[in-house]
Amino acid sequence: TADMTAMAGEEPGEQNPEAFVYGEEDFVLQAAGWSDPESAPSRFDRLLLASWTDRMERGLFRYRLGPLPTRVLPGPVRLVAQLNEQRSAERRPPQPVRSLRDPFDPGAFNFTRLRPAELLFRLCRTGGPGPPPEPLLVAINASPLERGHVLLLPEPARRLPQVLTAPALRGALEAALLSAHPGFRVGFNGLGGGASVNHLHLHGLYLDRPLPLEEAPAEPLGPRLGLLRAGPAPAFLFFAPGPAALEPVSRAVCRAAEHLGGAGLACNVLATRGCPPAGPGGGRGLRVLLWARRPVFGPKAGEPFAVALCELAGLLPLPAEPLYRDITEGQALSAIRQHLLPEPELLHLGGELVRLLEN
């Protein structure tokens, strides 16, 4: 990997890692299958995993991440529980969030303070389709959930708060198509939705197992929006059949997320490779899921786990062995669903989003 050493006297936020320059020819339209997910890693996968492993060997993470005990909870939803005691013990405490519109706070931890060695590379696209998205910095997540867990950062020196923008989302969706692994997913936690740092960032990580929300059919709500009920929490589903659709899908998702914020709701977003909204049988593309939820400000006493994008997608990173051993699907669903909207409110919101996206 490239030498990421800072120049003497360099200002934080001005680090210049190597560029990963890609074009449309680098998009992997058909990822490997789940029978052999690592059969043919892409150029992006090789660089990301090699530089991530290098930083782990150099001790730049808060803990060494070994294989994590994992089990599927008995029950129809097939929630995946994973024991990650070190993350809960060692991670930086989440920043206090007071509202969905908290401004960026230069005095709090933010990504201009990353050490140069924590930056892996910068994503830069040349050529079509459409104008290139803003370059994204790829940095380690120092408290990783999984091997290859990275942060995707629009220029940190712009000091943007944690509010999703279409250019940042499109860059992240392009990153998802640069991976040949079927389980490389990208996602976003909004303020009040589990975001721990109020500085614009998305996550990228390799989740080494299929999730029901990749293939389950969605109920059509409108021409560009479905309601997906697979998994522990219903989500609004957008679909990009290929690279040319990433720009309009990014804009639609961000318009919808902005509408949620205006209604006092927090959001989480996950993009995963998957089937068209009708389900298997029409090729694969990118499914982008948007969850609307009640915002949470500050830790809630008595919760077995915090609820952010992984939990909403059906992956439960759990902080303690007894909880990992004993938790039932019913207990986990109860903890997740207390954050969700009642069915009539969810369907009313779906109607509002359909009208918004048609205009």
Side-chain angles (χ1 to χ4, degrees), residues 123 133-136 152-155 158 160 163-175 186 188 200-202 250 254:
L123 287 170
E134 4 179 319
L136 291 180
L152 305 171
L153 309 172
E155 182 44 63
R158 291 170 58 198
L160 298 171
V163 175
L164 193 58
T165 67
L169 178 58
R170 184 159 66 104
L173 297 184
E174 291 195 356
V186 300
F188 172 83
L200 184 54
H201 65 287
L202 294 95
S250 301
C254 288

Side-chain angles (χ1 to χ4, degrees), residues 44-281:
F44 170 83
D45 293 318
R46 291 195 299 270
L47 177 61
L48 189 157
L49 291 168
S51 28
W52 192 93
T53 303
D54 167 71
R55 304 313 194 272
M56 181 62 77
E57 296 302 321
R58 286 160 59 181
L60 289 165
F61 291 81
R62 288 176 167 245
Y63 46 86
R64 280 194 77 82
L65 188 75
L68 297 170
T70 303
R71 73 185 188 98
V72 177
L73 303 189
V77 183
R78 299 193 55 74
L79 296 171
V80 178
Q82 208 163 51
L83 179 61
N84 192 338
E85 293 174 290
Q86 289 172 293
R87 177 175 164 83
S88 60
E90 307 286 344
R91 69 181 292 209
R92 182 183 295 108
Q95 290 173 7
V97 175
R98 290 166 295 279
S99 83
L100 298 174
R101 304 202 182 283
D102 272 9
F104 176 85
D105 177 1
F109 172 79
N110 63 75
F111 301 119
T112 66
R113 301 185 185 182
L114 293 178
R115 296 169 289 178
E118 294 180 73
L119 304 177
L120 304 182
F121 51 91
R122 184 187 301 271
L123 287 170
C124 302
R125 174 156 72 72
T126 57
E134 4 179 319
L136 291 180
L137 278 172
V138 180
I140 63 170
N141 185 323
S143 302
L145 282 163
E146 279 278 7
R147 179 187 69 126
H149 184 179
V150 292
L151 301 172
L152 305 171
L153 309 172
E155 182 44 63
R158 291 170 58 198
R159 294 169 158 76
L160 298 171
Q162 182 68 350
V163 175
L164 193 58
T165 67
L169 178 58
R170 184 159 66 104
L173 297 184
E174 291 195 356
L177 287 189
L178 290 172
S179 172
H181 192 293
F184 182 74
R185 281 112 178 187
V186 300
F188 172 83
N189 293 319
L191 295 176
S196 59
V197 177
N198 186 12
H199 192 182
L200 184 54
H201 65 287
L202 294 95
H203 294 266
L205 67 168
Y206 294 85
L207 298 178
D208 279 334
R209 56 186 58 233
L211 295 169
L213 43 75
E214 289 169 40
E215 296 197 337
E219 299 167 21
L221 296 177
R224 296 196 285 162
L225 190 69
L227 182 64
L228 184 69
R229 295 184 183 275
F236 295 112
L237 176 65
F238 301 77
F239 184 70
L246 298 183
E247 202 265 339
V249 163
S250 301
R251 278 190 289 117
V253 171
C254 288
R255 286 187 75 191
E258 186 180 10
H259 182 80
L260 298 188
L265 298 171
C267 74
N268 301 83
V269 176
L270 176 78
T272 181
R273 290 187 185 261
C275 299

Side-chain angles (χ1 to χ4, degrees), residues 32-39 182 210:
W34 279 110
S35 56
D36 188 10
E38 300 185 17
S39 54

Side-chain angles (χ1 to χ4, degrees), residues 273-295:
R273 290 187 185 261
C275 299
R284 285 169 81 82
L286 272 189
R287 285 185 161 202
V288 185
L289 291 93
L290 171 70
W291 286 278
R293 52 171 305 167
R294 304 254 179 260

Side-chain angles (χ1 to χ4, degrees), residues 5 9 20 29 78 86 221 233 295 353:
T5 310
F20 179 90
L29 302 184
R78 299 193 55 74
Q86 289 172 293
L221 296 177
L353 294 181

